[in-house]
Amino acid sequence: MSKKNKQKLSQSQLDRNKKISSLKTMYFNRFLMVRYILAVMVFASFFLAFLSWQTFTGYAAAALLVFAALPMWELGNMYGKAEPSVKWTRRYYMVQLVFNCGLCLVCWMAPMSSVLPFFADVVAGHCAAGSRRRPLCALPAPS
């Protein structure tokens, strides 16, 4: 084989490798937003678990943190797969949605200090959650 044929062969092989690499990256990047949303949810759960530790809300947020390991592993292992399976990610998002909706309902109905103890005596916290326990949510008038 001549030197020119070897260069052509290596060039075509290089092009094929570039194409394969770009396809792997494209398949991986399809779920880029899903990975970022998962990261935001994990940090929000961590923050909620830290602030409300030793309450039901803190324990539920900590359980969500543990459960988030499965979708993180799943999303990290999908590099190069054309049709990845995202069953744990879907389950996690459904559990997170149910938890968030339930937390919103509980914040609306229960006393604020029992659900989110870091909002115990803060008027702004009651206003932000829409609690009817503190009807005075307006700022004081300037003097």
PDB file of all heavy atoms in Angstrom, residues 67-86:
ATOM      1  N   PHE A  67     -32.919   9.476  46.985  1.00  0.00           N
ATOM      2  CA  PHE A  67     -33.565   8.939  45.790  1.00  0.00           C
ATOM      3  C   PHE A  67     -33.010   9.566  44.513  1.00  0.00           C
ATOM      4  O   PHE A  67     -33.037   8.950  43.444  1.00  0.00           O
ATOM      5  CB  PHE A  67     -35.079   9.157  45.888  1.00  0.00           C
ATOM      6  CG  PHE A  67     -35.870   8.571  44.762  1.00  0.00           C
ATOM      7  CD1 PHE A  67     -35.709   7.247  44.383  1.00  0.00           C
ATOM      8  CD2 PHE A  67     -36.786   9.337  44.072  1.00  0.00           C
ATOM      9  CE1 PHE A  67     -36.437   6.707  43.336  1.00  0.00           C
ATOM     10  CE2 PHE A  67     -37.524   8.807  43.033  1.00  0.00           C
ATOM     11  CZ  PHE A  67     -37.342   7.485  42.666  1.00  0.00           C
ATOM     12  N   ALA A  68     -32.456  10.785  44.603  1.00  0.00           N
ATOM     13  CA  ALA A  68     -31.921  11.481  43.432  1.00  0.00           C
ATOM     14  C   ALA A  68     -30.641  10.838  42.904  1.00  0.00           C
ATOM     15  O   ALA A  68     -30.229  11.128  41.784  1.00  0.00           O
ATOM     16  CB  ALA A  68     -31.663  12.941  43.756  1.00  0.00           C
ATOM     17  N   ALA A  69     -30.030   9.967  43.679  1.00  0.00           N
ATOM     18  CA  ALA A  69     -28.796   9.314  43.217  1.00  0.00           C
ATOM     19  C   ALA A  69     -29.062   8.437  41.993  1.00  0.00           C
ATOM     20  O   ALA A  69     -28.211   8.345  41.103  1.00  0.00           O
ATOM     21  CB  ALA A  69     -28.194   8.486  44.344  1.00  0.00           C
ATOM     22  N   LEU A  70     -30.216   7.804  41.936  1.00  0.00           N
ATOM     23  CA  LEU A  70     -30.530   6.931  40.789  1.00  0.00           C
ATOM     24  C   LEU A  70     -30.637   7.701  39.475  1.00  0.00           C
ATOM     25  O   LEU A  70     -30.006   7.306  38.491  1.00  0.00           O
ATOM     26  CB  LEU A  70     -31.803   6.134  41.076  1.00  0.00           C
ATOM     27  CG  LEU A  70     -31.666   5.106  42.201  1.00  0.00           C
ATOM     28  CD1 LEU A  70     -33.028   4.560  42.588  1.00  0.00           C
ATOM     29  CD2 LEU A  70     -30.742   3.995  41.794  1.00  0.00           C
ATOM     30  N   PRO A  71     -31.410   8.783  39.395  1.00  0.00           N
ATOM     31  CA  PRO A  71     -31.433   9.512  38.121  1.00  0.00           C
ATOM     32  C   PRO A  71     -30.107  10.181  37.787  1.00  0.00           C
ATOM     33  O   PRO A  71     -29.763  10.311  36.612  1.00  0.00           O
ATOM     34  CB  PRO A  71     -32.542  10.541  38.289  1.00  0.00           C
ATOM     35  CG  PRO A  71     -32.895  10.565  39.695  1.00  0.00           C
ATOM     36  CD  PRO A  71     -32.432   9.291  40.305  1.00  0.00           C
ATOM     37  N   MET A  72     -29.339  10.590  38.807  1.00  0.00           N
ATOM     38  CA  MET A  72     -28.028  11.168  38.504  1.00  0.00           C
ATOM     39  C   MET A  72     -27.124  10.121  37.863  1.00  0.00           C
ATOM     40  O   MET A  72     -26.417  10.407  36.897  1.00  0.00           O
ATOM     41  CB  MET A  72     -27.384  11.724  39.776  1.00  0.00           C
ATOM     42  CG  MET A  72     -27.980  13.030  40.215  1.00  0.00           C
ATOM     43  SD  MET A  72     -27.062  13.840  41.526  1.00  0.00           S
ATOM     44  CE  MET A  72     -27.471  12.839  42.931  1.00  0.00           C
ATOM     45  N   TRP A  73     -27.157   8.907  38.395  1.00  0.00           N
ATOM     46  CA  TRP A  73     -26.361   7.820  37.822  1.00  0.00           C
ATOM     47  C   TRP A  73     -26.842   7.502  36.407  1.00  0.00           C
ATOM     48  O   TRP A  73     -26.045   7.318  35.489  1.00  0.00           O
ATOM     49  CB  TRP A  73     -26.462   6.586  38.713  1.00  0.00           C
ATOM     50  CG  TRP A  73     -25.679   5.433  38.212  1.00  0.00           C
ATOM     51  CD1 TRP A  73     -26.139   4.383  37.477  1.00  0.00           C
ATOM     52  CD2 TRP A  73     -24.282   5.208  38.375  1.00  0.00           C
ATOM     53  NE1 TRP A  73     -25.119   3.515  37.189  1.00  0.00           N
ATOM     54  CE2 TRP A  73     -23.961   4.008  37.731  1.00  0.00           C
ATOM     55  CE3 TRP A  73     -23.266   5.916  39.005  1.00  0.00           C
ATOM     56  CZ2 TRP A  73     -22.681   3.501  37.687  1.00  0.00           C
ATOM     57  CZ3 TRP A  73     -22.003   5.401  38.978  1.00  0.00           C
ATOM     58  CH2 TRP A  73     -21.717   4.216  38.318  1.00  0.00           C
ATOM     59  N   GLU A  74     -28.151   7.463  36.238  1.00  0.00           N
ATOM     60  CA  GLU A  74     -28.739   7.145  34.941  1.00  0.00           C
ATOM     61  C   GLU A  74     -28.378   8.193  33.883  1.00  0.00           C
ATOM     62  O   GLU A  74     -28.003   7.847  32.758  1.00  0.00           O
ATOM     63  CB  GLU A  74     -30.254   7.057  35.110  1.00  0.00           C
ATOM     64  CG  GLU A  74     -31.015   6.595  33.921  1.00  0.00           C
ATOM     65  CD  GLU A  74     -32.480   6.466  34.232  1.00  0.00           C
ATOM     66  OE1 GLU A  74     -33.133   7.494  34.486  1.00  0.00           O
ATOM     67  OE2 GLU A  74     -32.969   5.334  34.246  1.00  0.00           O
ATOM     68  N   LEU A  75     -28.459   9.471  34.237  1.00  0.00           N
ATOM     69  CA  LEU A  75     -28.145  10.531  33.288  1.00  0.00           C
ATOM     70  C   LEU A  75     -26.652  10.616  33.010  1.00  0.00           C
ATOM     71  O   LEU A  75     -26.243  11.014  31.926  1.00  0.00           O
ATOM     72  CB  LEU A  75     -28.657  11.871  33.802  1.00  0.00           C
ATOM     73  CG  LEU A  75     -30.174  12.033  33.800  1.00  0.00           C
ATOM     74  CD1 LEU A  75     -30.573  13.304  34.524  1.00  0.00           C
ATOM     75  CD2 LEU A  75     -30.723  12.018  32.398  1.00  0.00           C
ATOM     76  N   GLY A  76     -25.836  10.228  33.967  1.00  0.00           N
ATOM     77  CA  GLY A  76     -24.402  10.237  33.744  1.00  0.00           C
ATOM     78  C   GLY A  76     -23.919   9.107  32.860  1.00  0.00           C
ATOM     79  O   GLY A  76     -22.900   9.222  32.184  1.00  0.00           O
ATOM     80  N   ASN A  77     -24.661   8.010  32.827  1.00  0.00           N
ATOM     81  CA  ASN A  77     -24.253   6.841  32.050  1.00  0.00           C
ATOM     82  C   ASN A  77     -24.834   6.802  30.647  1.00  0.00           C
ATOM     83  O   ASN A  77     -24.685   5.796  29.963  1.00  0.00           O
ATOM     84  CB  ASN A  77     -24.654   5.552  32.773  1.00  0.00           C
ATOM     85  CG  ASN A  77     -23.730   5.243  33.913  1.00  0.00           C
ATOM     86  OD1 ASN A  77     -22.581   5.656  33.912  1.00  0.00           O
ATOM     87  ND2 ASN A  77     -24.231   4.535  34.894  1.00  0.00           N
ATOM     88  N   MET A  78     -25.491   7.830  30.208  1.00  0.00           N
ATOM     89  CA  MET A  78     -26.139   7.751  28.899  1.00  0.00           C
ATOM     90  C   MET A  78     -25.269   8.261  27.759  1.00  0.00           C
ATOM     91  O   MET A  78     -25.741   8.390  26.644  1.00  0.00           O
ATOM     92  CB  MET A  78     -27.482   8.472  28.916  1.00  0.00           C
ATOM     93  CG  MET A  78     -27.435   9.940  29.088  1.00  0.00           C
ATOM     94  SD  MET A  78     -29.024  10.746  28.882  1.00  0.00           S
ATOM     95  CE  MET A  78     -30.143   9.688  29.706  1.00  0.00           C
ATOM     96  N   TYR A  79     -24.003   8.536  28.012  1.00  0.00           N
ATOM     97  CA  TYR A  79     -23.126   9.007  26.937  1.00  0.00           C
ATOM     98  C   TYR A  79     -22.957   7.912  25.890  1.00  0.00           C
ATOM     99  O   TYR A  79     -22.541   6.810  26.185  1.00  0.00           O
ATOM    100  CB  TYR A  79     -21.761   9.416  27.485  1.00  0.00           C
ATOM    101  CG  TYR A  79     -20.858   9.985  26.422  1.00  0.00           C
ATOM    102  CD1 TYR A  79     -21.109  11.241  25.887  1.00  0.00           C
ATOM    103  CD2 TYR A  79     -19.789   9.271  25.931  1.00  0.00           C
ATOM    104  CE1 TYR A  79     -20.307  11.767  24.917  1.00  0.00           C
ATOM    105  CE2 TYR A  79     -18.969   9.788  24.947  1.00  0.00           C
ATOM    106  CZ  TYR A  79     -19.233  11.037  24.441  1.00  0.00           C
ATOM    107  OH  TYR A  79     -18.443  11.562  23.465  1.00  0.00           O
ATOM    108  N   GLY A  80     -23.293   8.224  24.659  1.00  0.00           N
ATOM    109  CA  GLY A  80     -23.118   7.300  23.552  1.00  0.00           C
ATOM    110  C   GLY A  80     -24.294   6.385  23.288  1.00  0.00           C
ATOM    111  O   GLY A  80     -24.263   5.600  22.359  1.00  0.00           O
ATOM    112  N   LYS A  81     -25.349   6.493  24.064  1.00  0.00           N
ATOM    113  CA  LYS A  81     -26.525   5.648  23.837  1.00  0.00           C
ATOM    114  C   LYS A  81     -27.537   6.418  23.000  1.00  0.00           C
ATOM    115  O   LYS A  81     -27.919   7.533  23.340  1.00  0.00           O
ATOM    116  CB  LYS A  81     -27.151   5.231  25.168  1.00  0.00           C
ATOM    117  CG  LYS A  81     -26.244   4.369  26.000  1.00  0.00           C
ATOM    118  CD  LYS A  81     -26.912   3.996  27.293  1.00  0.00           C
ATOM    119  CE  LYS A  81     -25.974   3.172  28.151  1.00  0.00           C
ATOM    120  NZ  LYS A  81     -26.542   2.902  29.458  1.00  0.00           N
ATOM    121  N   ALA A  82     -27.983   5.801  21.911  1.00  0.00           N
ATOM    122  CA  ALA A  82     -28.925   6.473  21.013  1.00  0.00           C
ATOM    123  C   ALA A  82     -30.305   6.598  21.646  1.00  0.00           C
ATOM    124  O   ALA A  82     -30.948   7.636  21.560  1.00  0.00           O
ATOM    125  CB  ALA A  82     -29.022   5.726  19.693  1.00  0.00           C
ATOM    126  N   GLU A  83     -30.770   5.557  22.284  1.00  0.00           N
ATOM    127  CA  GLU A  83     -32.087   5.553  22.927  1.00  0.00           C
ATOM    128  C   GLU A  83     -31.930   5.149  24.390  1.00  0.00           C
ATOM    129  O   GLU A  83     -32.163   4.012  24.762  1.00  0.00           O
ATOM    130  CB  GLU A  83     -33.038   4.589  22.209  1.00  0.00           C
ATOM    131  CG  GLU A  83     -33.430   5.014  20.814  1.00  0.00           C
ATOM    132  CD  GLU A  83     -34.182   6.324  20.798  1.00  0.00           C
ATOM    133  OE1 GLU A  83     -34.964   6.577  21.714  1.00  0.00           O
ATOM    134  OE2 GLU A  83     -33.967   7.101  19.856  1.00  0.00           O
ATOM    135  N   PRO A  84     -31.551   6.088  25.232  1.00  0.00           N
ATOM    136  CA  PRO A  84     -31.326   5.746  26.629  1.00  0.00           C
ATOM    137  C   PRO A  84     -32.631   5.520  27.378  1.00  0.00           C
ATOM    138  O   PRO A  84     -33.667   6.080  27.041  1.00  0.00           O
ATOM    139  CB  PRO A  84     -30.591   6.955  27.183  1.00  0.00           C
ATOM    140  CG  PRO A  84     -31.026   8.070  26.319  1.00  0.00           C
ATOM    141  CD  PRO A  84     -31.263   7.481  24.961  1.00  0.00           C
ATOM    142  N   SER A  85     -32.547   4.699  28.388  1.00  0.00           N
ATOM    143  CA  SER A  85     -33.682   4.450  29.262  1.00  0.00           C
ATOM    144  C   SER A  85     -33.629   5.462  30.404  1.00  0.00           C
ATOM    145  O   SER A  85     -32.615   5.575  31.083  1.00  0.00           O
ATOM    146  CB  SER A  85     -33.603   3.027  29.809  1.00  0.00           C
ATOM    147  OG  SER A  85     -34.469   2.871  30.892  1.00  0.00           O
ATOM    148  N   VAL A  86     -34.703   6.185  30.604  1.00  0.00           N
ATOM    149  CA  VAL A  86     -34.739   7.203  31.660  1.00  0.00           C
ATOM    150  C   VAL A  86     -35.862   6.915  32.649  1.00  0.00           C
ATOM    151  O   VAL A  86     -36.529   7.824  33.120  1.00  0.00           O
ATOM    152  CB  VAL A  86     -34.867   8.623  31.070  1.00  0.00           C
ATOM    153  CG1 VAL A  86     -33.601   9.055  30.393  1.00  0.00           C
ATOM    154  CG2 VAL A  86     -36.043   8.733  30.143  1.00  0.00           C
TER     155      VAL A  86
END
